[in-house]
Amino acid sequence: MPRVTARSIPTMPPVTVIGRSEVPVRLSILGSGNAFGGHGGNASAVLDERVLVDAGSPPHLLLPPLGLGIHDIDLVLLSHFHLDHTAMLPLLLGALAWSDDPQAGHLVIAGPVGTREVIGRLVAAGFGRGMQERIDRRVAPEYAVLQDGSDVQIGDYRVRSHSVVHSTGPSLAHAVTRNGLRVGFSGDTTLCPGLRRLAAEVDVLVCECSSWDGPAGGGHLWRGEVEELVAEHPEVRFILNHLPGRGSVPGALIAHDLLTLDLS
């Protein structure tokens, strides 16, 4: 089982277990809540201080408390297109576009088929075509299309993707490998074959848990299903997010906003 050392804002005592990687990989949870519960920011995490996984919470506001900035992000990895996972990406792109050094061509945005078109519509609807033109000119993000079975190298990161069952549109769970450590992100999903494939290949899994008390509608996991998955994979360190409130699952860490973990 990988070793996890926890920090938060303010600093909390570390949590450690046996690990396999000699070089720690930092994971920060920007938003730990589900879409409508109000118990935490919407889904977003930062891996290795450079990979933004989903963008439901405003990264330009939440990166600085972690000692990071918008220019530290090299890769944005999207699981699906619901607003609680994507809505704040136009703000990140706008902040880059209006910065003194937008570093054109530096950023890669990877996600399901249609990612470029969806983000373009969000930017245009929120800020107009002029903002999209400024982003295209000054940020010039590169887009990468991922699908079930994708296994690609993006910069320093190997990204493997699995199709999962959610409510609407294409939905992917991702495994990101860095320094030999495999970190998975479930996105929003049911207890489906794609999620089980992901859990079988990672060391750490950031996994949604949208209900504590009973089955969750809309293509989500609830506590009973998460407990089943944890029992199937005792070697995996589970970190639960997309939460309806505070709760517990034996063998899993419960995320909160700005929780930071050093994984090794």
Side-chain angles (χ1 to χ4, degrees):
M1 184 179 291
R3 182 170 63 247
V4 179
T5 302
R7 281 192 324 130
S8 68
I9 307 297
T11 301
M12 65 179 290
V15 178
T16 59
V17 297
I18 297 172
R20 65 174 67 193
S21 173
E22 295 182 358
V23 181
V25 177
R26 181 156 291 179
L27 171 69
S28 297
I29 303 297
L30 300 187
S32 61
N34 63 15
F36 308 116
H39 295 284
N42 285 162
S44 190
V46 177
L47 182 68
D48 198 36
E49 302 186 326
R50 294 166 58 194
V51 180
L52 179 68
V53 183
D54 284 332
S57 291
H60 63 305
L61 298 180
L62 297 177
L63 290 172
L66 300 173
L68 303 173
I70 57 175
H71 295 97
D72 291 312
I73 301 302
D74 298 332
L75 170 62
V76 177
L77 194 58
L78 298 179
S79 62
H80 65 294
F81 301 142
H82 283 174
L83 289 180
D84 60 316
H85 292 253
T86 61
M88 296 296 109
L89 185 51
L91 297 182
L92 172 64
L93 295 173
L96 288 168
W98 284 99
S99 69
D100 292 335
D101 181 16
Q103 300 179 9
H106 172 78
L107 183 67
V108 177
I109 302 174
V113 172
T115 291
R116 180 196 292 267
E117 293 76 13
V118 168
I119 299 309
R121 288 198 295 268
L122 286 176
V123 171
F127 303 104
R129 293 291 178 186
M131 175 61 80
Q132 184 61 59
E133 292 170 1
R134 185 180 184 92
I135 290 169
D136 290 342
R137 184 177 70 254
R138 303 201 77 224
V139 183
E142 177 183 348
Y143 286 86
V145 175
L146 303 175
Q147 57 190 342
D148 186 41
S150 290
D151 187 350
V152 298
Q153 190 75 25
I154 304 177
D156 293 330
Y157 305 96
R158 179 186 180 188
V159 179
R160 289 172 52 86
S161 302
H162 300 277
S163 181
V164 294
V165 178
H166 188 36
S167 57
T168 60
S171 296
L172 297 173
H174 302 294
V176 183
T177 302
R178 174 66 167 159
N179 296 336
L181 190 75
R182 302 162 300 177
V183 183
F185 298 87
S186 72
D188 288 358
T189 181
T190 60
L191 189 58
C192 62
L195 179 62
R196 284 193 155 104
R197 289 195 301 270
L198 176 74
E201 69 178 32
V202 298
D203 305 304
V204 178
L205 179 52
V206 181
C207 185
E208 75 129 301
C209 183
S210 295
S211 170
W212 297 121
D213 300 325
H220 290 284
L221 296 170
W222 77 286
R223 175 173 19 205
E225 293 166 319
V226 173
E227 290 175 342
E228 181 179 340
L229 196 64
V230 170
E232 291 174 0
H233 300 279
E235 75 286 357
V236 175
R237 184 52 135 171
F238 283 78
I239 302 160
L240 305 187
N241 73 343
H242 207 271
L243 302 169
R246 304 309 294 171
S248 64
V249 169
L253 292 176
I254 307 300
H256 58 79
D257 292 2
L258 298 183
L259 172 69
T260 295
L261 306 168
D262 284 336
L263 311 173
S264 63

